[in-house]
Amino acid sequence: NWLALKLIFEPIEPIRFGPWSLQGLFLTRQREVSAEFAASLVPVTLTSAKLWDNIINGKHGARFDALLRERTSKYVDGCAQILFSGRPTELASSEAWAQTRSEITEQVVRQFPA
């Protein structure tokens, strides 16, 4: 086992003997092994479902939720300004517009998986 490990990982830097070069077998094939490792690992670990689950339910899920709500609210305000040629509060009271914006934001948030 010791000899096998030495052959796989040592020497780290290639040693030249005239036209020949000696380097650990793993390091010689590192690019190929890395590509194969990535090809087998990515479909299992980096699926869109797992990424979204981590974004929404991971340790920074609350930050994502706050950001989603903030950006959605700003987007709704911007759309309303375009649609109503100005501030939407000119057509409805500030409280009514705040309620409408809040309801739209909640609908967007509900579209994300729990």
Side-chain angles (χ1 to χ4, degrees), residues 38-49:
S40 66
L41 187 65
V42 167
V44 175
T45 58
L46 293 178
T47 64
S48 60

Side-chain angles (χ1 to χ4, degrees), residues 19-87:
W20 298 283
S21 177
L22 178 65
Q23 187 176 21
L25 296 173
F26 174 77
L27 296 170
T28 303
R29 297 185 56 223
Q30 185 175 5
R31 288 180 193 244
E32 180 184 344
V33 170
S34 296
E36 288 179 25
F37 181 71
S40 66
L41 187 65
V42 167
V44 175
T45 58
L46 293 178
T47 64
S48 60
K50 288 184 180 184
L51 289 172
W52 275 114
D53 181 58
N54 191 22
I55 290 169
I56 294 168
N57 301 315
K59 71 178 188 177
H60 298 296
R63 286 177 56 196
F64 175 76
D65 185 67
L67 181 65
L68 177 62
R69 289 172 189 279
E70 174 194 340
R71 297 290 170 92
T72 301
S73 182
K74 287 181 180 180
Y75 180 77
V76 169
D77 277 340
C79 289
Q81 288 176 2
I82 293 168
L83 291 172
F84 301 121
S85 302
R87 295 186 345 196

Side-chain angles (χ1 to χ4, degrees), residues 84-100:
F84 301 121
S85 302
R87 295 186 345 196
T89 53
E90 293 172 0
L91 298 174
S93 69
S94 295
E95 295 82 23
W97 174 245
Q99 179 64 30
T100 302

